[in-house]
Every structure is written in C-alpha cells, then in structure tokens.
Amino acid sequence: MAAYAVDDYGRDPHLVAALSPLARLRWNVHVTGMDNVPVSAALLVCNSRKFALGSVYAALGLTEATGRTIRFVGRPDTAPLGALMRRVGALLAHPADVLGALRDGELVLISAAGTRNGRQAGVVPYELIGQAVIADVPVLPVTTISSSFGRTAHVAVGTPVLARRERTGPLAHVELAEQVQHDLQRMLDRD
C-alpha cells in the first residue's frame, strides 16, 4: 500500500500502526476462541461496559490475533472524532454500512447496549444483526472483560449463534438478537 493510502472504508494502516503502541500501553489484551473466527465474513457481537471502550480493545486484539482488519461499529458522524475513528477502522452504526462491509468479506464487530456491570450483556441491536441475516454470514458472541484501572483485558470469541427457529422477516432479526444476548450472558456467567 502506498504511503498515506487508506482502504475502501477509510482505514489508514499507517495511523493504526502508529497508535498501536499507545493502545498496548493502556490494554494488555488476551484473546481466546480464535478457532471460532471464520476465514470469511462474520458479524461479531460484544458486550459493552459503559466507558470501557470494549469494542475498541476487542477490535485491536482480534486484529492482531487474526491478522485481519476488524471493523468496529460506533463511530460518530461528526468531526473531528468521527474522522479519526474512521481512520482507525470504525464504521457508522448504520445498517447499510454494516451490510456493505459484510458483503465485502469483512469481519465486523458491533456492541450490545452498554451496561454498568461488565458481566451483564446488554440489548443487542436487532437492526444491525439483521444485516448478518441478509448477508448470510455467521454471528459470533464475543465477551470483553477488562479492569477499570489495570491494563488486563480479555476477549473471548464464542461459537456461532444458531437461530432457534427457521423464521423469515423482521422477527428473525429480533429473535436472533435475543439469542445472541442470551449466548453472551451465558459466556459471561461462565467466565
């Protein structure tokens, strides 16, 4: 890639490489469950403790562990923070952006609603889960556990979530989102 080049989503690998040592100063990320990550596209769904930046350290840890770029969802659409987040690989929380990345074979990480307790899975956004159904890609739960003051962070990738019923239409998205939340909670309770 040429100097100052960005990929199709605006991610600048040179900027990411420059910021990675700073991120490692904040988080020492340990990743498990790598054998569950497919070689093709997938939607990864992580729990989120408020103000913990779980999706950021999960994306960084998974990017290092897989050698593939993990697109994380949740960048603002305002300058200057939105532009900076785009340069490090963040996508808008719009269904069309998620669907486009999944159809391009990307690994996309979204977060459940933030909770005060890091061991509680929040509500999973069904409108974003629906994009995985449309793109026909697997959905994997990802737990993120970190210390508020220490550097230790753990990211665990679970097995693909299987829908309980064969359903089509908008209810399929809602049921899958609920199943992902349930699987996330089960993983958090087990850890």
Side-chain angles (χ1 to χ4, degrees), residues 39-58:
V39 294
S40 58
L43 184 67
L44 310 169
V45 183
C46 72
N47 62 303
S48 177
R49 188 180 83 226
K50 290 186 179 190
F51 310 113
L53 300 176
S55 61
V56 175
Y57 72 74

Side-chain angles (χ1 to χ4, degrees), residues 89-107:
L91 300 172
L92 292 171
H94 293 177
D97 287 6
V98 172
L99 180 60
L102 291 172
R103 285 187 171 161
D104 282 346
E106 300 288 335
L107 293 172

Side-chain angles (χ1 to χ4, degrees), residues 91-166:
L91 300 172
L92 292 171
H94 293 177
D97 287 6
V98 172
L99 180 60
L102 291 172
R103 285 187 171 161
D104 282 346
E106 300 288 335
L107 293 172
V108 177
L109 177 73
I110 66 171
S111 295
T115 62
R116 289 182 186 204
N117 181 350
R119 295 213 174 253
Q120 181 181 3
V123 174
V124 175
Y126 70 88
E127 61 278 359
L128 298 181
I129 287 284
Q131 305 317 300
V133 174
I134 293 167
D136 194 27
V137 300
V139 177
L140 291 89
V142 176
T143 58
T144 60
I145 299 172
S146 65
S147 168
S148 297
F149 302 106
R151 293 185 56 236
T152 305
H154 184 239
V155 175
V157 181
T159 57
V161 176
L162 302 173
R164 290 185 186 149
R165 293 186 244 176
E166 287 294 322

Side-chain angles (χ1 to χ4, degrees), residues 14-72:
H14 302 292
L15 178 62
V16 172
L19 293 176
S20 289
L22 294 174
R24 280 189 215 100
L25 285 175
R26 170 58 185 105
W27 296 291
N28 179 19
V29 182
H30 176 68
V31 179
T32 59
M34 289 307 304
D35 51 334
N36 294 324
V37 179
V39 294
S40 58
L43 184 67
L44 310 169
V45 183
C46 72
N47 62 303
S48 177
R49 188 180 83 226
K50 290 186 179 190
F51 310 113
L53 300 176
S55 61
V56 175
Y57 72 74
L60 293 171
L62 288 166
T63 294
E64 279 189 29
T66 62
R68 295 174 60 192
T69 299
I70 307 295
R71 310 280 175 192
F72 62 98

